[in-house]
Amino acid sequence: MAAPINDASVVLKENSYADGIESVYIKHIGCGKGRGLFASHHLSRGSVLFKEAPLVSSQFLWNEFYKYKACEFCMKALETAEVNAKRLSGNPSLVLPHPECCEVNPHNHVECPQCLVAYCSKECRTQAWEQYHQVLCVSQHPPDPEHPLVMLQEIWRNMHFPPETTSIMLLAKMIASIKQAKDKEKVIKKFNNFCRATVNEERELVHKLMGQRFQDQFDTLLGVFTSALQEDTVAQWFTPEGIRSLFALVGTNGQGVGTSSLSVYVRNCDNLTLEEDEAQALDSYIDQLYVDIEKESGTFLNCEGSALYSLQSCCNHSCDPNAEVQFLENNSVLSLVALKDISEGEEITICYLDECSRQRSRHSRQNILKSNYLFVCDCSKCQQQCDDPDQTSSEEEESLMDEEVGLSY
């Protein structure tokens, strides 16, 4: 087994957020890929390679605005499955069977006593306060609309309509974590471990993240961002080039997070021991519930946000990955799960594309990856399809145009 080289192992040595890291190691692999994650020993299909809490995570502001209620620290869904289903289906009289399958306990929920931000537990409230919330607490509810942090969020919503691809509050939590840290350089080093883009690439990524309206409002965003969060130890981040580098960092390394009390309820229902006719009736009920939800709320079912993970960010992309990210604990703790058997010394890869995009032609996949992540994929699947025509079907073209319209917001 090859040993980690240079300073790549620092992520493992200092990552107090991860569990199971003995299964993997990091090494530089060159070829424009930088670092990669590799298996320390044979890993079986279906096994959890490691679990990792994020350095910072944040719910999307529009997701929160539309009443998707999540813990401010860990993003655990706060609605019970029944309340969640009532809202999503638009049926206030709905009553879910088997309420014991819901794991949400509202009695454990607490708030910040000053700004009333909600948490799933006292532990999460304490961790948020100790890491960043002393800086980000707006001190009253409802908040003063002239408070710089309130203005920052309002500006972001106005210039970045859904679907969101990141959140300004992810950047705010990065800065606040540094401001509150006893050892500021240690926290800065953790953020500096993430891969970086060139200046030209940063401009492309920022344009993608922010959309067509970005340039017109950039100066206003930067001014309010600076007013709310100025920190001398990272003064370089409060310049036009600096904030672009932050957006490029989260654009390149950010991982989407989704949590749902309803999905946990459904999973627990699937594990019930029932008579065959009762199990079939429950399956039919749940299927119809999802039909009703789709009519009312579309496909946006989860509390959604983004996060930065030290270890997961070392995973390179493949269109035919051997692992995938899952959120098995219904919060921002990430689980990396093996999709197939992985040999000792084999690189662990994930797919940066969503399920729909993954099924598209090589040409379409390449376009999406180049546009959003600024690299040309040469994974085994792309190599096998290298002789396929460099064209996109009319159906895929239409879908890609829809995505571009979403990104342009």
Side-chain angles (χ1 to χ4, degrees):
M1 181 184 74
I5 59 175
N6 298 332
D7 63 344
S9 61
V10 71
V11 174
L12 293 175
K13 291 178 179 177
E14 295 188 356
N15 196 339
S16 60
Y17 297 86
D19 177 36
I21 56 177
E22 67 277 358
S23 298
V24 299
Y25 64 94
I26 302 166
K27 72 173 183 178
H28 289 283
I29 54 180
C31 304
K33 289 186 176 180
R35 299 179 300 179
L37 199 65
F38 293 79
S40 299
H41 53 79
H42 175 82
L43 302 168
S44 301
R45 176 184 178 183
S47 62
V48 176
L49 310 187
F50 62 82
K51 294 185 177 182
E52 182 181 18
L55 294 176
V56 285
S57 65
S58 178
Q59 186 180 3
F60 292 146
L61 291 181
W62 280 108
N63 190 260
E64 180 182 0
F65 183 82
Y66 285 122
K67 302 188 186 305
Y68 290 78
K69 298 179 180 178
C71 174
E72 193 276 336
F73 181 75
C74 78
M75 279 196 61
K76 185 173 185 177
L78 297 180
E79 292 178 306
T80 65
E82 184 168 284
V83 171
N84 187 226
K86 286 180 178 180
R87 178 173 60 81
L88 293 174
S89 66
N91 180 4
S93 61
L94 180 147
V95 177
L96 290 181
H98 300 285
E100 71 277 8
C101 290
C102 176
E103 296 183 1
V104 176
N105 185 355
H107 296 296
N108 293 333
H109 299 170
V110 296
E111 297 175 334
C112 170
Q114 299 179 69
C115 66
L116 303 189
V117 164
Y119 298 94
C120 69
S121 64
K122 292 180 180 179
E123 291 76 15
C124 276
R125 181 175 64 182
T126 298
Q127 289 183 73
W129 183 257
E130 292 178 349
Q131 183 182 343
Y132 58 77
H133 192 64
Q134 295 173 53
V135 170
L136 298 184
C137 182
V138 295
S139 301
Q140 64 185 71
H141 184 82
D144 178 359
E146 300 300 316
H147 191 290
L149 283 168
V150 177
M151 294 173 62
L152 183 66
Q153 294 177 61
E154 183 67 19
I155 291 169
W156 176 263
R157 280 195 296 265
N158 288 336
M159 66 189 298
H160 198 297
F161 294 121
E164 285 177 272
T165 49
T166 187
S167 174
I168 192 68
M169 294 309 294
L170 196 63
L171 274 62
K173 287 184 179 181
M174 292 171 64
I175 303 293
S177 296
I178 294 168
K179 291 176 79 71
Q180 286 191 207
K182 294 180 180 178
D183 187 344
K184 296 181 187 294
E185 290 303 319
K186 183 177 181 179
V187 178
I188 293 170
K189 184 178 180 180
K190 288 182 178 180
F191 291 129
N192 283 337
N193 277 330
F194 289 101
C195 66
R196 299 284 177 151
T198 67
V199 173
N200 288 338
E201 288 175 335
E202 285 174 359
R203 290 181 181 276
E204 288 187 50
L205 278 171
V206 170
H207 177 76
K208 270 302 207 184
L209 286 170
M210 307 293 288
Q212 299 287 345
R213 301 175 59 190
F214 168 68
Q215 290 297 334
D216 294 339
Q217 301 186 45
F218 177 78
D219 289 341
T220 301
L221 180 73
L222 176 57
V224 178
F225 185 75
T226 302
S227 174
L229 296 161
Q230 178 70 52
E231 168 57 40
D232 291 342
T233 56
V234 284
Q236 70 276 13
W237 287 356
F238 294 89
T239 65
E241 294 75 18
I243 196 169
R244 285 192 185 98
S245 74
L246 289 182
F247 277 118
L249 185 151
V250 299
T252 307
N253 300 280
Q255 167 66 50
V257 180
T259 64
S260 168
S261 55
L262 182 59
S263 66
V264 173
Y265 164 84
V266 170
R267 184 180 68 205
N268 290 340
C269 283
D270 289 340
N271 294 329
L272 290 172
T273 302
L274 303 172
E275 297 293 335
E276 184 175 351
D277 57 343
E278 189 178 358
Q280 290 179 350
L282 181 58
D283 287 343
S284 297
Y285 175 88
I286 291 173
D287 289 343
Q288 184 58 51
L289 175 60
Y290 275 112
V291 169
D292 296 339
I293 286 175
E294 185 171 0
K295 289 179 181 177
E296 179 71 19
S297 300
T299 58
F300 295 100
L301 307 184
N302 298 339
C303 297
E304 296 181 347
S306 57
L308 290 174
Y309 298 88
S310 293
L311 195 53
Q312 174 270 343
S313 69
C314 297
C315 291
N316 284 311
H317 164 84
S318 172
C319 296
D320 184 23
N322 55 19
E324 72 175 4
V325 168
Q326 297 182 18
F327 294 93
L328 301 177
E329 300 186 17
N330 194 33
N331 58 20
S332 60
V333 173
L334 172 153
S335 297
L336 194 69
V337 181
L339 294 174
K340 42 183 100 166
D341 287 350
I342 302 174
S343 302
E344 179 180 346
E346 182 179 352
E347 185 178 7
I348 297 166
T349 58
I350 59 177
C351 188
Y352 296 175
L353 304 171
D354 61 32
E355 189 63 35
C356 179
S357 299
R358 196 181 306 185
Q359 304 307 317
R360 292 176 178 166
S361 65
R362 173 183 179 273
H363 184 62
S364 293
R365 298 196 310 271
Q366 296 273 0
N367 283 342
I368 297 169
L369 290 166
K370 187 175 181 181
S371 177
N372 290 283
Y373 296 97
L374 307 181
F375 71 88
V376 176
C377 182
D378 64 346
C379 71
S380 58
K381 182 175 181 178
C382 286
Q383 291 178 13
Q384 291 168 7
Q385 298 176 345
C386 64
D387 293 329
D388 290 359
D390 285 340
Q391 61 185 27
T392 304
S393 69
S394 58
E395 184 177 329
E396 288 183 334
E397 285 283 5
E398 184 177 342
S399 181
L400 285 169
M401 288 177 65
D402 288 343
E403 288 183 5
E404 289 298 321
V405 169
L407 286 167
S408 72
Y409 288 127

